[in-house]
Amino acid sequence: MRISQLIFVVGFLAIAPVSTLHAQLKDPVRTQQGLVAGVTSADSAITVFKGIPYAAPPVGALRWRAPQPAAAWSGVRVADKFGPSSIQTIVEGRVPWTHEFMAHGSISEDCLYLNIWTPAKTAGDKLPVFVWVYGGGYNEGSSSIDVYNGEGLTRKGVVFVNFNYRVNRFGFFAHPELTKESGVNASGNQGLLDALAALKWVQANIQAFGGDPGSITVTGQSAGSGIVHSLVTSPLARGLVHRAILQSGPAIGTATTSLAAQEASGTQFAQSMGATSLADLRKLSWEQINPAAAASVGEAAPATNPATNAATGGRRGARGGLVIDHYAINASANEIYAAGQQLDIPMIGGGTAQDLGNFGSPAVNLQWARNRSAKGKAPSYVYLFTHALPGPRAAQEGAFHSGEIPYVLNSLGMIPDRPITDTDRKIADMASQYWANFARTGNPNGPGLPRWDSTAEQPEMVMELGENPRMITPAVPAARGGRGGAENRN
């Protein structure tokens, strides 16, 4: 365990004047838990706050429970470092995802931290808030990933927030005893409940950072899109989400796995670990639960038998996934739409030209828009991202799954090892402006941008985002590139 990595230095910092610690620190901001001081970003007009706890560490008796409120602190907490990522296997890259698309650094069960980039000068600025939810197959991912840096989009006039949520066996684990213990007769969606807790923290605190708690756009890519889609169709998210963007994920929808099936899987895992109760499971170290993750960061996991190795999912630990628990998720997305029970808010949905499977295909995304508009009035906008990120494999990979992220988040500057061109920067400026406009008004259009029609205006057309942005009637592209993408990063 790297306990020392999880402890923030508060003692001296709590009593020393902030101005004597780092010249770039701004005046501390008061949150419900205490004072927090940020640091100046690479852009001197932006202040960044890293590693703010939005919930209590989900360790010990809190493992697998819904997130609990973060503890208060005294003095000033200097928020200049990302918190640890959730337990997961750490790798340098996985084709086509190079270093800047992967999580690095420390991992811990104590991972429920968020980060804020703000251009605001005062708490009264009331800027639109853009909340990013990472993908990774519900099995990996982190708010500290390079291309998720919020500075570029913040320059467009939004307050940018991202956060860690629990993944794999720690974030999506159901068990009959957990269901009984919960008080709501549900288990299995810990990662989704983390997202809800982060949004509640944002709504309660973001005004102090210059954000508008009444203007929150939640955006996710791949599995992150699945979480956002679940929020849009969850009764627990009402009042927390005002606009949503689904990147490479409208057809992922929400869960289709039943709670009973997920509980059976959890019971089987417990048996494989020799655990006869939930208390026994909580006594296990995280290294025992996910030995692959332990090995990836050089931690020695206790010896396990072959059955245990199989139960933990081999190389990367057990996969996670959303479940219909009849608490956070009542039914599939299409069933929610058919009943008219979704949040009727403006939404963008789309994918990349080379997305694997169907979740990025224009035909599927147009069907998503029709489903949600059947009993809703808010507009839908559909896109197809067609530009390939430069690199040695660009011709083979094309516009690969996740390849649009550094463009729409305007974070190309976080990719030093690819031959970025003026064309790339122009596309990023355009795409990120659409995203910022949408966060501000619920409509991506604005001065100097090609017109993007909603599906109500052009039912069979989508916006092509690339070198020649325009409304097109798309053909479904053949899936190629991104080897292993459907398994590892959706």
Side-chain angles (χ1 to χ4, degrees):
M1 297 288 290
R2 286 183 165 85
I3 299 297
S4 62
Q5 294 177 343
L6 312 182
I7 298 175
F8 287 82
V9 180
V10 177
F12 167 74
L13 301 179
I15 59 175
V18 173
S19 60
T20 67
L21 299 175
H22 299 286
Q24 72 268 34
L25 292 183
K26 304 295 184 182
D27 291 337
V29 172
R30 182 170 296 281
T31 71
Q32 289 184 334
Q33 288 74 38
L35 292 171
V36 60
V39 295
T40 302
S41 184
D43 184 330
S44 61
I46 296 168
T47 306
V48 58
F49 300 79
K50 298 178 181 179
I52 302 175
Y54 68 86
V59 300
L62 296 185
R63 178 188 281 172
W64 294 310
R65 288 193 63 191
Q68 302 299 302
W73 59 83
S74 61
V76 177
R77 185 186 188 102
V78 179
D80 60 351
K81 295 181 178 64
F82 289 116
S85 302
S86 178
I87 300 298
Q88 61 192 279
T89 302
I90 299 297
V91 298
E92 174 62 21
R94 189 181 298 116
V95 175
W97 305 289
T98 44
H99 181 279
E100 63 272 13
F101 289 92
M102 306 301 295
H104 305 285
S106 63
I107 59 175
S108 173
E109 287 189 78
D110 178 5
C111 62
L112 301 185
Y113 299 89
L114 58 74
N115 316 294
I116 301 170
W117 286 258
T118 178
K121 302 304 180 186
T122 72
D125 285 3
K126 296 194 74 172
L127 299 175
V129 181
F130 186 99
V131 180
W132 173 257
V133 186
Y134 55 74
Y138 307 107
N139 203 61
E140 61 187 10
S142 173
S143 62
S144 62
I145 287 174
D146 290 348
V147 294
Y148 303 161
N149 184 285
E151 182 179 308
L153 199 61
T154 301
R155 287 200 295 267
K156 302 287 186 177
V158 304
V159 175
F160 185 101
V161 181
N162 63 19
F163 61 93
N164 289 343
Y165 61 90
R166 287 170 283 181
V167 294
N168 58 68
R169 187 75 73 185
F170 296 91
F172 301 92
F173 179 67
H175 188 278
E177 285 190 60
L178 277 173
T179 301
K180 183 178 180 180
E181 169 190 90
S182 70
V184 294
N185 200 38
S187 65
N189 284 325
Q190 294 88 350
L192 176 59
L193 296 180
D194 292 344
L196 284 160
L199 287 172
K200 290 176 182 177
W201 191 98
V202 168
Q203 188 177 69
N205 293 282
I206 204 64
Q207 187 169 340
F209 298 86
D212 182 356
S215 180
I216 297 175
T217 298
V218 185
T219 303
Q221 187 267 344
S222 198
S225 178
I227 286 179
V228 173
H229 211 171
S230 298
L231 293 170
V232 171
T233 55
S234 173
L236 303 184
R238 296 195 179 279
L240 299 176
V241 181
H242 306 104
R243 288 171 283 279
I245 301 176
L246 309 177
Q247 295 180 210
S248 297
I252 291 178
T254 55
T256 56
T257 303
S258 70
L259 177 58
Q262 204 82 334
E263 286 178 333
S265 176
T267 299
Q268 182 181 25
F269 171 75
Q271 292 171 345
S272 74
M273 299 297 291
T276 60
S277 67
L278 183 57
D280 287 343
L281 282 171
R282 284 179 169 145
K283 290 177 183 177
L284 297 173
S285 67
W286 71 259
E287 293 93 339
Q288 288 173 293
I289 293 172
N290 196 330
S296 76
V297 293
E299 297 284 350
T304 55
N305 60 40
T308 299
N309 287 332
T312 57
R315 179 172 62 92
R316 293 197 303 142
R319 289 182 62 82
L322 297 161
V323 59
I324 298 176
D325 62 358
H326 300 287
Y327 171 62
I329 302 176
N330 286 328
S332 70
N334 286 341
E335 289 172 320
I336 297 294
Y337 290 147
Q341 296 174 342
Q342 76 274 18
L343 302 184
D344 194 12
I345 59 176
M347 294 179 71
I348 290 175
T352 69
Q354 306 307 331
D355 267 329
L356 295 180
N358 288 324
F359 50 75
S361 76
V364 170
N365 291 327
L366 283 164
Q367 183 59 48
W368 154 79
R370 284 192 288 266
N371 289 344
R372 69 177 300 266
S373 63
K375 292 191 177 180
K377 297 180 181 178
S380 300
Y381 299 87
V382 179
Y383 73 91
L384 177 66
F385 192 89
T386 58
H387 182 71
L389 184 65
R393 292 177 51 85
Q396 303 98 303
E397 294 167 354
F400 63 85
H401 185 61
S402 309
E404 87 287 7
I405 293 173
Y407 296 90
V408 300
L409 298 188
N410 201 26
S411 59
L412 286 173
M414 299 301 295
I415 308 178
D417 297 327
R418 290 178 182 262
I420 302 300
T421 68
D422 287 342
T423 297
D424 293 292
R425 285 183 279 270
K426 181 179 178 181
I427 294 172
D429 183 61
M430 171 200 66
S432 61
Q433 191 63 58
Y434 279 129
W435 263 226
N437 290 346
F438 183 79
R440 187 173 298 109
T441 67
N443 185 322
N445 292 290
L449 295 173
R451 173 72 187 176
W452 185 348
D453 293 323
S454 70
T455 55
E457 296 167 305
Q458 297 278 7
E460 302 302 322
M461 301 188 76
V462 305
M463 184 66 178
E464 179 180 0
L465 298 178
E467 296 180 29
N468 184 20
R470 66 199 191 283
M471 295 298 294
I472 61 171
T473 302
V476 179
R480 65 177 176 86
R483 178 172 57 85
E487 175 188 356
N488 293 326
R489 297 288 296 177
N490 63 310

